[in-house]
Amino acid sequence: MQLEVEIARKAFTNAAGERHDVLVDLKFVLGAGEVGVFVGPSGCGKSTMLKIIAGLDQDYQGRVVRPADARIGMVFQEPRLLPWRSVEENVRLAAPRADDVALSALFTVLELNAHRSHFPGELSLGLARRVALARAFAVEPGFLILDEPLTSLDDALAMRLRDQIATLVDSQSVTTLLVTHDVDDAIRLGDRVFLLSSRPARILAELPIRTPRKARGEAEIAAIKAEIARRTNGDSANGDAL
Amino acid sequence: MWARPKTLTPAHSIVRSPKTEMFRFLSFTTFLATWWIAALFAGGEKLPPPPAVLAAIVEAANSGALFLNLGVTLARVALAFTLAMTLGTAIGYLMGRIRLADRVGDPWLILLLNLPALVVIVLAYIWAGLTEVAAIAAIAINKLPTAVVTVREGTRALDTTLDEMARVFAMPRWRAFRHVILPQLAPYIAAAARSGLSLVWKIVLVAELLGRPNGVGFEIGVAFQLFDIPRLLAYALSFVAVVLIIETVLVQPFEARVSRWRPRAA
Ligand SMILES: Nc1ncnc2c1ncn2[C@@H]1O[C@H](COP(=O)(O)OP(=O)(O)O)[C@@H](O)[C@H]1O
Ligand SMILES: [Mg+2]
């Protein structure tokens, strides 16, 4: 399924009553089955954009076009699990149609088998994030939204999880939006990388990556990284994130 | 992200170690001993000693009157309690979710909260006659406003991030209510139930005393008129025993169940 986004303006009113823009003139199209990755400094409006695209926030100027019947799988920036339901119940409640075999495979890929009957309060943040991922994939989404799914995990785990996401995205071939501020993740996972400015977010550059995910070598990744660094030099606010 | 009502006792504080059992037994025997000694000083007329009251209990039990009256009172409690909890939860939820409902309902709530129980009962009997419906309605109305207030507070504290999650995953309304909303409201509903039950226990006797021909409250009224203190205490203590049993076998396990998922404090 294809995704068309045109957000002319999104503003928040703060406690003092002042309005400030968070998103201005944000426009892009994502083809069916493509993985679009958004990289930008924290606070620039990435989560806000994802919420609008997911249909959770109607209060903006512009339009988002996606098939109305497409199932959405979303990983929020926080795990957002139901604390009073077990890991397995959390996944099944979001994906009542998922069959046991598919679920089993998913739990195996995400290494969650030992935790099926645990409650979220008993999980580490890394585990809770994996449950949130399992929930998003279990619905067999037409459209996947991932908001910084790999932050605050240790490097080894983040790397494994990144490969797992790549595997799942490739096997289900789903249109995916991923937000990160890790350039490495962006290059390894994306078909297209969008560089965002600091708030109000607009797209600084769009870099297509044509090599298939599995075939990307270290040399190519380093080259793209250098390219991204060059493109974001003008935007000083990005200095710490990139 | 999610506040627990302050009135709620956490489930894990209901500890049943042998030590607490022993202390319970000790305080119960202390109570009996104090009663007995006081009876010796006050004289059997005003405060009959435990055996006299026990005899009255046995007598009332043998004639069947004790169970009949306890049963009738319990039925009234059950009906009024269920009615008040159902309505109170529904109204509280609406007032917590919908601003307009809150604005419209708030003056009524304040009125009901400040209306003495006796006034409600007397007015109900005047307007609806000395009927069962009047009695149960009066008891329910007394309990209703506190249930509304508690559930409204719980509704206002609902976690909106979980609402968003349910929406994104297109959970049907009923499933979202049952698995996302209700578990968040459960501690508030349990708190309302607990405080409501103790309120209903007290009011039901007054309602029976004033306008019913049976029930524990009626019997206590009769015993009062006849100055039959053993009978009065027999009914009072049997009633208290029933209340305690219901609190331990129904209310506390329910509270423990709804908070079972909470990680235990170390
Ligand atoms: N509900 C809100 N009300 C007011 N301001 C908000 C709200 N949500 C986010 N913001 C502001 O919008 C900006 C972008 O937030 P967010 O989209 O969460 O950033 P990011 O995900 O890129 O880190 C931040 O400055 C944040 O303070
Ligand atoms: Mg964010």
Side-chain angles (χ1 to χ4, degrees), chain A residues 51 54-56 72-74 76 80-85 93-94 96 119 135 139, chain B residues 1-2 160-162 164-165 167-169 171 175 178-180 183-184 260-261 263:
Chain A
K51 266 196 195 177
L56 290 172
I72 300 180
M74 182 156 179
F76 293 89
R80 296 202 189 179
L81 305 174
L82 302 173
W84 41 85
R85 293 287 181 266
L93 278 171
F119 284 98
R135 179 175 63 186
V139 302
Chain B
M1 72 172 198
W2 132 283
T160 52
T161 68
L162 292 179
E164 286 184 344
M165 185 278 293
R167 268 169 62 203
V168 142
F169 286 98
M171 275 195 206
R175 195 181 329 143
R178 184 157 158 231
H179 298 284
V180 181
Q184 296 181 66
R260 153 190 63 126
W261 55 271

Side-chain angles (χ1 to χ4, degrees), chain A residues 173-242:
Chain A
S173 140
V174 32
T175 312
T176 302
L177 271 182
L178 179 119
V179 155
T180 176
H181 44 224
D182 186 303
V183 182
D184 233 48
D185 291 342
I187 300 169
R188 285 171 203 271
L189 284 172
D191 295 310
R192 225 117 52 84
V193 177
F194 299 89
L195 305 176
L196 295 177
S197 69
S198 54
R199 203 186 82 195
R202 52 202 167 74
I203 294 173
L204 290 177
E206 180 183 335
L207 292 105
I209 306 176
R210 301 218 162 70
T211 326
R213 260 177 285 285
K214 287 202 194 71
R216 285 170 204 170
E218 294 304 319
E220 183 177 11
I221 288 168
I224 299 171
K225 238 178 174 168
E227 167 78 4
I228 288 176
R230 192 180 60 76
R231 299 264 195 135
T232 48
N233 259 350
D235 193 42
S236 58
N238 268 351
D240 56 346
L242 296 171

Side-chain angles (χ1 to χ4, degrees), chain B:
Chain B
M1 72 172 198
W2 132 283
R4 141 200 315 233
K6 287 171 200 72
T7 46
L8 183 72
T9 354
H12 30 280
S13 75
I14 309 167
V15 208
R16 288 234 174 68
S17 67
K19 212 169 170 184
T20 33
E21 291 295 328
M22 200 188 72
F23 277 119
R24 271 191 199 175
F25 180 73
L26 256 174
S27 72
F28 181 67
T29 42
T30 314
F31 166 72
L32 274 185
T34 318
W35 174 8
W36 209 318
I37 293 165
L40 287 179
F41 280 103
E45 279 295 293
K46 274 191 181 148
L47 181 58
V53 174
L54 187 66
I57 293 180
V58 171
E59 193 197 319
N62 279 337
S63 72
L66 180 69
F67 302 113
L68 181 77
N69 285 311
L70 278 175
V72 167
T73 300
L74 276 182
R76 286 185 187 123
V77 167
L79 273 173
F81 176 77
T82 312
L83 189 67
M85 280 306 296
T86 316
L87 272 179
T89 304
I91 296 173
Y93 182 69
L94 283 181
M95 286 177 74
R97 278 264 149 147
I98 305 167
R99 253 190 119 89
L100 184 68
D102 194 38
R103 292 238 182 90
V104 172
D106 208 47
W108 289 87
L109 209 54
I110 291 168
L111 177 76
L112 282 179
L113 276 171
N114 291 294
L115 209 55
L118 191 62
V119 175
V120 176
I121 295 168
V122 169
L123 284 178
Y125 280 143
I126 290 174
W127 289 332
L130 296 177
T131 59
E132 207 58 59
V133 172
I136 288 166
I139 302 167
I141 288 172
N142 271 303
K143 193 235 154 341
L144 186 70
T146 51
V148 171
V149 169
T150 312
V151 174
R152 177 177 66 178
E153 189 195 331
T155 308
R156 283 176 180 162
L158 285 175
D159 187 344
T160 52
T161 68
L162 292 179
D163 265 358
E164 286 184 344
M165 185 278 293
R167 268 169 62 203
V168 142
F169 286 98
M171 275 195 206
R173 216 171 252 264
W174 167 245
R175 195 181 329 143
F177 184 75
R178 184 157 158 231
H179 298 284
V180 181
I181 306 286
L182 212 51
Q184 296 181 66
L185 291 184
Y188 293 85
I189 294 174
R194 169 175 272 276
S195 72
L197 202 54
S198 54
L199 190 73
V200 169
W201 290 133
K202 284 164 193 153
I203 292 170
V204 70
L205 298 192
V206 180
E208 287 176 343
L209 178 86
L210 288 176
R212 295 281 71 214
N214 48 27
V216 175
F218 169 78
E219 286 295 330
I220 288 176
V222 171
F224 173 52
Q225 278 159 24
L226 301 175
F227 242 75
D228 186 348
I229 298 171
R231 182 169 166 195
L232 197 155
L233 288 180
Y235 271 100
L237 290 182
S238 311
F239 183 66
V240 169
V242 169
V243 171
L244 283 181
I245 289 169
I246 289 185
E247 291 267 338
T248 24
V249 303
L250 284 178
V251 179
Q252 291 180 5
F254 173 72
E255 285 191 337
R257 218 186 110 77
V258 299
S259 47
R260 153 190 63 126
W261 55 271
R262 282 180 210 284
R264 303 281 146 114

Side-chain angles (χ1 to χ4, degrees), chain A residues 63-143:
Chain A
R63 65 189 190 114
V64 172
V65 185
R66 56 178 159 82
D69 55 348
R71 272 199 298 273
I72 300 180
M74 182 156 179
V75 174
F76 293 89
Q77 198 165 345
E78 331 79 49
R80 296 202 189 179
L81 305 174
L82 302 173
W84 41 85
R85 293 287 181 266
S86 70
V87 164
E88 179 160 355
E89 285 167 338
N90 262 284
V91 174
R92 283 189 188 273
L93 278 171
R97 277 180 294 269
D99 65 272
D100 288 353
V101 180
L103 224 51
S104 230
L106 197 55
F107 277 126
T108 306
V109 171
L110 292 170
E111 295 169 32
L112 285 170
N113 273 318
H115 305 283
R116 279 179 180 233
S117 57
H118 288 173
F119 284 98
E122 303 168 303
L123 305 178
S124 65
L125 181 59
L127 269 169
R129 280 196 191 287
R130 276 188 268 164
V131 178
L133 273 168
R135 179 175 63 186
F137 279 105
V139 302
E140 302 199 342
F143 180 30

